[in-house]
Amino acid sequence: QVQLVQSGAEVKKPGASVKVSCKASGYTFTTYGISWVRQAPGQGLEWMGWISAYNGNTNYAQKLQGRVTMTTDTSTSTAYMELRSLRSDDTAVYYCARSHDGRAPWFDPWGQGTLVTVSS
Amino acid sequence: QSVLTQPPSASGTPGQRVTISCSGSSSNIGTNYVYWYQQLPGTAPKLLIYRNNQRPSGVPDRFSGSKSGTSASLAISGLRSEDEADYYCAAWDDSLSSVVFGGGTKLTVL
């Protein structure tokens, strides 16, 4: 079955970077993209961006431009999301999701989520 | 605040039909498909409706989606206790070149 498995929880200090991985299985990795969505504690969903697993094209949310980088490793069917210059308001659960279209929120399935806590 | 507007809460009794609204604008719902997600407590969101009114395999036909103009709705018929969750609408926004979500609606089954 199609599955996305994410790396474990992280605790980081303000100003540091975090890199979350998302390993895909059960489908041909390069025929879909991967989107990243985060959810702050008790809050709603926020789209962070998308990467094509076919050619590496990316589209980042304007709010995160310059701080986020999304990459893929097709040899291991793994996507990565790196967020730099972390602040306390980056504390959230970060989800990856298989993305059918880089210009539509067609996300299915989702990874289990990775809690990133930013605290001094 | 969110680009798409949803009521923060909704409720119903078992067996009832409830609807959740999602209001947007011409740059998002008005010109693009709407998607709906269900998030059960402590779990990742799950796709419920895609392209306005299509159900992925495995989603019961008790769930249905519709769109008219710059608004969309999710209807849940034959409400069950296991439907108690947060529901989010989403769409692409041409002006922002970004996916936008509603703020979410917490559904309580009384």
Side-chain angles (χ1 to χ4, degrees), chain B residues 7-20 76 79-80 83-85 87 105-110:
Chain B
S9 63
S11 63
T13 56
Q16 260 191 333
R17 182 178 187 272
V18 297
T19 61
I20 296 171
I76 309 172
L79 199 61
R80 298 184 177 185
D83 297 332
E84 193 159 283
Y87 292 85
T105 298
K106 184 176 183 62
L107 175 64
T108 301
V109 180
L110 302 169

Side-chain angles (χ1 to χ4, degrees), chain A residues 1-5 23-28 32 98 108-110:
Chain A
Q1 75 284 19
V2 177
Q3 195 174 10
L4 300 177
V5 178
K23 183 171 177 59
S25 62
Y27 72 98
T28 302
Y32 294 86
R98 188 178 69 166
D108 180 39
W110 296 54

Side-chain angles (χ1 to χ4, degrees), chain A residues 9-39:
Chain A
E10 303 261 14
V11 179
K12 296 292 182 180
K13 293 193 182 304
S17 298
V18 68
K19 191 169 187 176
V20 179
S21 68
C22 169
K23 183 171 177 59
S25 62
Y27 72 98
T28 302
F29 185 63
T30 52
T31 58
Y32 294 86
I34 294 287
S35 284
W36 291 86
V37 176
R38 68 180 180 178
Q39 185 172 36

Side-chain angles (χ1 to χ4, degrees), chain A residues 97-101 104-108, chain B residues 35 37 47 50-51 56 99:
Chain A
R98 188 178 69 166
S99 185
H100 289 245
D101 184 339
W106 192 347
F107 308 144
D108 180 39
Chain B
Y35 298 73
Y37 292 88
L47 180 66
Y50 66 98
R51 289 190 169 179
V99 168

Side-chain angles (χ1 to χ4, degrees), chain A residues 43-54:
Chain A
Q43 302 301 308
L45 303 173
E46 178 186 13
W47 180 74
M48 300 179 67
W50 164 88
I51 181 167
S52 166
Y54 174 70

